[in-house]
Amino acid sequence: MKAFEIVDRLEYEYINGNREATITGIATDNRRVNAGCAFICIKGARFDTHSVFEQIVEAGAALIAVSREWADENRGTISHAGDTMVIAVEDTRLAKACIAAAWYGHPADKLITVGITGSKGKTTTTHMLSDMISAAGFRVGTIGTNGAIIGGEIHELNNTTPDSGELQMYLA
């Protein structure tokens, strides 16, 4: 997948770099940057990966998404990114979700999804509905307290609600 393709449905400002670069994966952890990956800078409670922008470039990221605010304050740093495609977005967490969806081929476009909310009975309702849909002959997947269950195979989750990259992977 090319860099310009992975951001096709994302609203962004193109700053510089090679739009034709081949993307090899997605990362948000600067310790896991691989050559060719799309890296999304995230400002967390304890660490902001914007602060290691140069390290991410040196590690070979093909695409880096940064916040518009950071980009406006750091144009000089960005100018040294060479062929790395750099884009600025309003919300890097939303960018991560959009990039992950593109990486996995926009799986939600091909699925019927049902959300179950409330304060009591969500897991029970989910299992009952899943059993009914499965009995009708459809392939079913659920994501929730008991993990991601797809076609009867259970995948443990670190959180009840997986992050956007993990969610797109399970939807795919």
Side-chain angles (χ1 to χ4, degrees):
M1 174 171 277
K2 300 293 184 189
F4 75 89
E5 294 172 317
I6 206 162
V7 295
D8 184 46
R9 296 190 191 181
L10 179 63
E11 190 172 314
Y12 65 93
E13 173 193 353
Y14 168 80
I15 298 177
N16 69 275
N18 181 4
R19 297 174 196 229
E20 297 286 332
T22 299
I23 302 299
T24 60
I26 302 171
T28 57
D29 183 335
N30 59 294
R31 298 166 295 186
R32 300 183 195 276
V33 179
N34 293 317
C37 79
F39 190 90
I40 303 92
C41 291
I42 304 282
K43 183 177 183 176
R46 286 179 245 152
F47 188 71
D48 182 353
T49 53
H50 290 90
S51 69
V52 291
F53 178 86
E54 290 150 331
Q55 174 191 331
I56 296 162
V57 171
E58 288 174 20
L63 167 70
I64 303 175
V66 298
S67 73
R68 191 171 314 280
E69 179 182 350
W70 186 87
D72 289 344
E73 296 170 5
N74 293 277
R75 295 288 171 164
T77 301
I78 293 170
S79 68
H80 301 304
D83 277 350
T84 302
M85 182 176 167
V86 180
I87 62 170
V89 297
E90 287 299 320
D91 181 347
T92 56
R93 291 182 191 277
L94 175 60
K96 178 185 176 191
C98 293
I99 289 170
W103 177 252
Y104 288 104
H106 298 285
D109 291 353
K110 304 166 193 132
L111 301 172
I112 296 172
T113 57
V114 176
I116 300 172
T117 63
S119 56
K120 297 223 185 272
K122 294 180 294 299
T123 300
T124 301
T125 303
T126 299
H127 286 287
M128 289 176 14
L129 186 58
S130 174
D131 288 349
M132 288 187 285
I133 294 170
S134 183
F138 296 96
R139 187 163 184 229
V140 178
T142 64
I143 298 174
T145 305
N146 295 332
I149 305 170
I150 302 165
E153 187 177 331
I154 300 171
H155 306 271
E156 288 193 29
L157 300 174
N158 291 329
N159 300 304
T160 301
T161 304
D163 81 339
S164 57
E166 192 177 22
L167 176 63
Q168 293 300 326
M169 178 186 70
Y170 286 122
L171 291 176

